[in-house]
Amino acid sequence: PYPAIVGYGLIYYANNSSSTLATNINRAFRQVELGFSGTNTSDVEKVVSNLSTTDTIPESNGARWAQNTASIYIQSTDETLVAAYKEAITNWNKTGAFIFTLTDDASTADIVATDYSDANSQAAGLADSQTNVLTNRITHVDVKLNRYFLLNSDFGYTHKRIVNTAEHELGHAIGWITMTQDISYAISGSYYGIQQVDIDTVHALYAN
């Protein structure tokens, strides 16, 4: 239905733009998801009613690594997040679609997995990618998990949900995210890990 399509588009836009509008949308959706007292769907409706039709929703640029493998250095020192990273890496490697190899040298690592704490970031994690604009190949990624949300019991993140979040951010790091996957993740939150559609998408991305 049309309203559902608009809703999906708003979620994707909110998660992929740094504009004030996107931040407000993201905050409204996050408040509903986390079940803050006094928050209901009318909060989202208020944001939606003030939307501008001039904003566009970004598409995936198809960036990827030269091959379906990358070295990764776990820089985080928090035991919970280190364990989540390791489990997420193992889960991705089991798919065979992409292989992460752990390294002890941060200076040569393709991917650095770390953490941060920011109540205003509107995200449980992020992946900051560097891409060669001529080849459209990823050259380096910094993946970060947000301690403020993931390690605060008030937000209800279990170990499994933290692992799912790490899997999602590693998915960003390998170029996996398309509009479909990101919408699905935004709707389900961190309750689902790697799905078959994700594996198929990565296989297709690295087919040539």
Side-chain angles (χ1 to χ4, degrees):
Y2 179 74
I5 295 174
V6 172
Y8 293 167
L10 291 177
I11 293 171
Y12 180 81
Y13 172 71
N15 282 317
N16 289 272
S17 174
S18 58
S19 70
T20 301
L21 175 63
T23 299
N24 290 335
I25 295 172
N26 205 322
R27 182 178 294 112
F29 276 111
R30 185 166 63 85
Q31 287 176 334
V32 172
E33 179 186 12
L34 295 175
F36 287 156
S37 59
T39 303
N40 52 51
T41 55
S42 63
D43 295 317
V44 177
E45 292 171 355
K46 289 177 182 177
V47 174
V48 172
S49 65
N50 294 321
L51 289 179
S52 167
T53 58
T54 60
D55 293 307
T56 59
I57 297 175
E59 297 288 343
S60 170
N61 63 5
R64 42 160 279 192
W65 293 93
Q67 298 179 331
N68 64 332
T69 183
S71 60
I72 182 168
Y73 175 77
I74 300 179
Q75 191 174 66
S76 175
T77 58
D78 182 272
E79 292 183 1
T80 298
L81 299 184
V82 169
Y85 270 130
K86 289 182 176 180
E87 189 170 337
I89 289 169
T90 297
N91 291 344
W92 267 113
N93 287 352
K94 285 180 179 178
T95 70
F98 195 93
I99 301 298
F100 293 96
T101 57
L102 284 169
T103 178
D104 294 326
D105 188 354
S107 65
T108 62
D110 296 318
I111 301 168
V112 174
T114 185
D115 60 68
Y116 70 116
S117 182
D118 187 353
N120 298 314
S121 72
Q122 305 299 318
L126 59 86
D128 183 11
S129 301
Q130 298 175 20
T131 305
N132 184 315
V133 295
L134 296 178
T135 64
N136 204 28
R137 294 293 182 259
I138 302 172
T139 58
H140 183 80
V141 183
D142 290 315
V143 175
K144 302 177 183 180
L145 295 180
N146 193 344
R147 298 191 308 276
Y148 181 84
F149 295 116
L150 299 181
L151 302 182
N152 186 335
S153 60
D154 290 341
F155 294 101
Y157 277 90
T158 62
H159 175 72
K160 180 58 178 172
R161 289 184 64 195
I162 296 174
V163 171
N164 291 345
T165 302
E167 289 176 0
H168 181 77
E169 297 311 326
L170 291 178
H172 275 291
I174 64 182
W176 148 72
I177 297 302
T178 65
M179 188 168 181
T180 301
Q181 276 75 37
D182 231 14
I183 288 174
S184 298
Y185 183 82
I187 295 171
S188 63
S190 55
Y191 293 100
Y192 295 95
I194 302 167
Q195 304 294 301
Q196 186 60 49
V197 64
D198 307 323
I199 299 170
D200 294 342
T201 299
V202 176
H203 276 303
L205 183 62
Y206 288 90
N208 300 318

